[in-house]
Amino acid sequence: MASTSTDTPTDAVTVYVDEKVGSDDAGDGSIQKPYQSAAQAIVNHGPSPPLVILTRKSEEEEWVAIGISALKKARKGAEGIEKKRQKALAAEAKAAEKAAAQEKAKDVVLEEDLSLPQAVKTKIKYLEKYRGQRVRISGWVHRLRSQGKMIFVVLRDGTGFLQVIIGGKLSQVHDASLLTNEATIEVVGNLQEVPAEKSAPGGHEVVADYWKVIGHAPLGDDSYLSRFNEETGPSILADLRHLVLRGETQSAVLKLRTALLSSFRHALDALDLKEVTPPCIVQTQVEGGATLFGFKYYEEEAYLTQSSQLYLETVLPALGDVYCVQESFRAEKSQTRRHLSEFTHLEAELAFITFDDLMTHIENAICDTIDHLLATPGVSELMKVLNPDFKPPSRPFLRMSYADAIQWLVDHKIQHVTEETEDLPDAEKVYVDHVLGDDIAEAAERKMTDEIGRPIFLYGFPSHLKAFYMQKMKGPAGEGPNGMVFTESCDLLMPGVGEVVGGSMRIHDADELLAAFKKQGIPAEPYYWYVDQRRYGTCEHGGYGLGVERFLAWIGNRYTVRECQLYGRWPGRATP
Ligand code: 4AD
């Protein structure tokens, strides 16, 4: 039974609060439907007429009058609830006002004023010469800011960025309320130089007199800015690569890539090499069977090319020195920051040259490419974003023999992990000094390159570490201990990235080549066309392959080659 105080005013209302089974939402304060909190009782019934609040902690307890301190707390709680309610009401009113404004905005229809001077339709990069005139620009909303009745847009069209001001009636249309990042719009207006103290891309801005939406972009949770941020992990960023590409850094990397490819072509054309396009579908290996991607080609076995080298060699008698920019494919299971399953391979082949000529050519081709790249309009802006401290390498590049590199590693106490302990946890790995004949692994190579701090031609690798086609070094230089054979091969190592180029002179004697196939257990028959190159007028020749993504990672200061491809391919990643 409920106990009540004797001095209860007669007009008092009694409400019940059951902290366990009561409900602030469904309760009405009666003994059958008590509230859960005294604060809600005060909100619902108010302090007047005087309230009598009877509470209990559970059904097993008696109803008792609320204590003084609990009542004080409940009053405070009630104030809080009331404030929240007022806030919600205000927000609702504002939303209703906005909805009404949007509804009204639907009636505002913009029309281009045809009495104004004709606007010049152009791209952002050409704008400077049209200052003071009416221009028409289309692009994507890169940045967006509203201030009162003004909308400030930074528009992006792939050639540059442009500030656009949309004000007055133009900002009152329905589309303005739906405008968001990555929508496409067309803007027409006067192009004005901005005062020196105000900064705007290109030093000018368009004050719109007409605009329209070409394509909206999602708002809310699905909006561009909600899809990813600095904390998003690499796997999600890769899934969203198609959106990530639109950002300033990634688009700068890709623009640099475009300029780089064109500079390579410029440099190689100037060195009298001709560009050819070899096939990607092949039936022979170049760099070892372990990294071949095989597939069914109609009824036959075929592979995705690992390198176009063999084809380039066969073209020498037809076109002279040649090069190609072609995708190469390697099934490399390792998840490193410099390996891709598909990469862009710039390869060149030169006839009637010596090994020394080859290295000199590579050095010239690279330095000419960099000179051309840095002189390309727009590239200095990209380099400012990506790698402001970049300095072109000084010539000549250091040339270091494989044997000297092994000695350098020993002298600098750079060891390698033994094959037996390679897969053990770090604490159990055993490290030993390098000896002649060892492969110089990525980690050691990187340490050496970073320590020396300039491009290094590492040359003269033992034949057992390299592909079948490599020419033996001439004279005693080709002979190593225990029958080891040193080859006319070279890798170009760049600080921060490691190997960017692999090249060599090729065995040019048909019999020697057949012997090399035999030694490596490769059937010679499928290579009949390659052997014929030696049979029908052979010559000393050599060439190289340059990994475009690694080169770009070096120039653009990227941590991984994965950022240097349009849509990177590595183990487990073939989408988008
Ligand atoms: O040293 P590699 O394997 O040499 C060849 O393929 C020769 N047949 C090229 C030739 O002489 N025409 O590869 C050449 C370059 C490497 O230095 C590296 O920059 C790049 O190609 N490369 C890779 N880049 C990214 N991911 C991979 N998995 C790569 N494999 C090689």
Side-chain angles (χ1 to χ4, degrees):
M1 212 220 305
S3 70
T4 52
S5 157
T6 49
D7 53 4
T8 304
T10 48
D11 58 349
V13 172
T14 300
V15 293
Y16 294 85
V17 173
D18 186 319
E19 291 177 21
K20 193 157 178 207
V21 300
S23 164
D24 286 348
D25 293 328
D28 60 10
S30 65
I31 195 159
Q32 295 81 11
K33 290 167 90 181
Y35 294 118
Q36 193 182 28
S37 74
Q40 192 63 50
I42 294 172
V43 169
N44 289 9
H45 299 274
S48 138
L51 258 196
V52 175
I53 302 175
L54 301 180
T55 71
R56 67 179 184 189
K57 291 211 178 324
S58 69
E59 283 163 295
E60 292 80 48
E61 288 181 14
E62 289 279 292
W63 294 104
V64 292
I66 190 167
I68 291 176
S69 76
L71 186 61
K72 233 173 155 180
K73 214 166 134 196
R75 283 193 180 127
K76 257 222 153 96
E79 273 169 31
I81 293 173
E82 183 56 23
K83 257 192 206 153
K84 238 186 188 164
R85 198 176 67 88
Q86 292 298 343
K87 221 169 150 183
L89 281 177
E92 227 170 77
K94 208 168 164 192
E97 204 179 301
K98 199 172 162 195
Q102 282 184 1
E103 255 330 284
K104 206 167 143 223
K106 282 185 186 163
D107 301 335
V108 183
V109 178
L110 288 183
E111 273 187 42
E112 200 176 338
D113 183 349
L114 298 177
S115 69
L116 291 173
Q118 176 130 28
V120 185
K121 183 175 176 183
T122 186
K123 298 267 185 199
I124 291 173
K125 78 177 216 188
Y126 299 117
L127 278 177
E128 197 171 333
K129 58 177 178 273
Y130 298 114
R131 282 187 187 171
Q133 297 184 40
R134 251 182 119 227
V135 293
R136 182 184 303 273
I137 298 283
S138 299
W140 289 262
V141 174
H142 188 66
R143 274 197 284 272
L144 179 67
R145 181 167 62 88
S146 294
Q147 201 177 313
K149 293 205 161 158
M150 306 285 270
I151 301 173
F152 295 91
V153 173
V154 173
L155 202 62
R156 185 186 79 233
D157 75 349
T159 73
F161 298 94
L162 171 69
Q163 180 157 295
V164 175
I165 299 175
I166 299 172
K169 183 182 162 200
L170 300 190
S171 68
Q172 307 303 302
V173 290
H174 185 52
D175 272 340
S177 62
L178 302 177
L179 193 62
T180 186
N181 292 64
E182 295 309 317
T184 35
I185 60 173
E186 180 186 295
V187 178
V188 186
N190 206 41
L191 180 68
Q192 299 181 351
E193 192 172 347
V194 294
E197 70 279 4
K198 272 174 71 186
S199 82
H204 43 227
E205 62 194 8
V206 165
V207 180
D209 57 58
Y210 173 74
W211 74 287
K212 70 173 183 200
V213 170
I214 297 166
H216 278 293
L219 292 158
D221 287 351
D222 213 17
S223 73
Y224 182 78
L225 296 181
S226 308
R227 298 295 297 274
F228 61 93
N229 57 38
E230 300 88 64
E231 266 124 58
T232 307
S235 168
I236 294 181
L237 286 179
D239 287 343
L240 296 179
R241 179 78 176 155
H242 58 296
L243 297 178
V244 174
L245 288 180
R246 302 177 180 206
E248 275 163 48
T249 309
Q250 290 312 308
S251 60
V253 174
L254 292 178
K255 283 180 189 166
L256 189 62
R257 186 184 156 107
T258 304
L260 176 63
L261 287 173
S262 134
S263 295
F264 272 130
R265 289 190 161 103
H266 181 272
L268 292 175
D269 292 346
L271 288 166
D272 283 327
L273 278 73
K274 290 185 190 67
E275 182 169 359
V276 292
T277 311
C280 281
I281 299 173
V282 300
Q283 291 190 307
T284 45
Q285 56 144 299
V286 190
E287 298 298 324
T291 62
L292 277 175
F293 277 112
F295 67 98
K296 261 264 155 315
Y297 180 70
Y298 304 106
E299 301 311 316
E300 294 170 49
E301 231 5 81
Y303 315 110
L304 294 175
T305 187
Q306 294 170 305
S307 156
S308 301
Q309 175 199 322
L310 308 194
Y311 291 97
L312 293 187
E313 288 183 54
T314 65
V315 181
L316 289 175
L319 301 181
D321 300 344
V322 281
Y323 74 96
C324 67
V325 183
Q326 181 71 285
E327 296 296 279
S328 279
F329 304 84
R330 305 276 169 100
E332 313 222 40
K333 281 274 163 60
S334 53
Q335 299 265 8
T336 80
R337 60 184 164 118
R338 65 178 204 180
H339 284 98
L340 294 162
S341 303
E342 173 180 353
F343 65 97
T344 306
H345 209 170
L346 179 111
E347 294 183 271
E349 202 65 30
L350 300 113
F352 306 107
I353 55 162
T354 64
F355 185 38
D356 188 64
D357 292 339
L358 175 66
M359 286 193 276
T360 304
H361 164 89
I362 296 173
E363 187 176 309
N364 288 339
I366 285 178
C367 292
D368 293 355
T369 298
I370 292 174
D371 288 347
H372 186 267
L373 177 70
L374 296 181
T376 303
V379 164
S380 66
E381 286 79 5
L382 301 174
M383 292 300 277
K384 254 183 233 147
V385 175
L386 300 172
N387 195 3
D389 298 328
F390 180 78
K391 291 200 179 41
S394 50
R395 302 192 213 194
F397 294 172
L398 179 67
R399 294 185 184 185
M400 187 188 233
S401 74
Y402 160 84
D404 286 348
I406 293 288
Q407 193 55 49
W408 191 98
L409 293 171
V410 172
D411 293 346
H412 289 78
K413 312 215 168 354
I414 296 174
Q415 299 185 308
H416 71 94
V417 70
T418 60
E419 221 177 298
E420 302 75 46
T421 67
E422 218 166 40
D423 298 326
L424 296 181
D426 280 354
E428 292 168 44
K429 285 190 167 74
V430 175
Y431 288 85
V432 293
D433 276 345
H434 287 85
V435 293
L436 218 55
D438 281 347
D439 194 10
I440 302 176
E442 186 176 332
E445 183 188 278
R446 193 188 289 274
K447 274 188 200 158
M448 184 175 84
T449 318
D450 290 352
E451 172 92 21
I452 293 174
R454 52 185 280 214
I456 309 168
F457 267 125
L458 210 55
Y459 69 89
F461 292 92
S463 60
H464 68 269
L465 298 179
K466 290 289 180 184
F468 66 88
Y469 52 74
M470 292 191 183
Q471 177 75 38
K472 183 179 169 185
M473 282 180 89
K474 294 186 177 58
E479 313 287 343
N482 310 319
M484 206 183 293
V485 168
F486 294 118
T487 58
E488 287 189 325
S489 53
C490 61
D491 283 355
L492 179 63
L493 315 177
M494 290 300 186
V497 190
E499 183 198 325
V500 295
V501 177
S504 76
M505 295 301 287
R506 327 300 192 188
I507 295 174
H508 58 276
D509 178 82
D511 292 336
E512 220 180 290
L513 181 64
L514 290 171
F517 279 129
K518 202 164 176 191
K519 194 167 170 206
Q520 298 226 7
I522 302 171
E525 202 280 322
Y527 294 82
Y528 70 92
W529 47 276
Y530 185 62
V531 179
D532 271 357
Q533 192 259 331
R534 277 82 179 155
R535 293 177 60 231
Y536 292 81
T538 193
C539 64
E540 282 205 64
H541 66 283
Y544 57 95
L546 177 149
V548 170
E549 289 78 12
R550 289 193 190 175
F551 199 83
L552 184 59
W554 170 60
I555 296 213
N557 192 28
R558 297 296 93 198
Y559 176 74
T560 161
V561 289
R562 292 178 178 186
E563 266 186 74
C564 298
Q565 250 178 340
L566 192 55
Y567 287 102
R569 296 290 182 251
W570 56 87
R573 170 64 56 187
T575 304

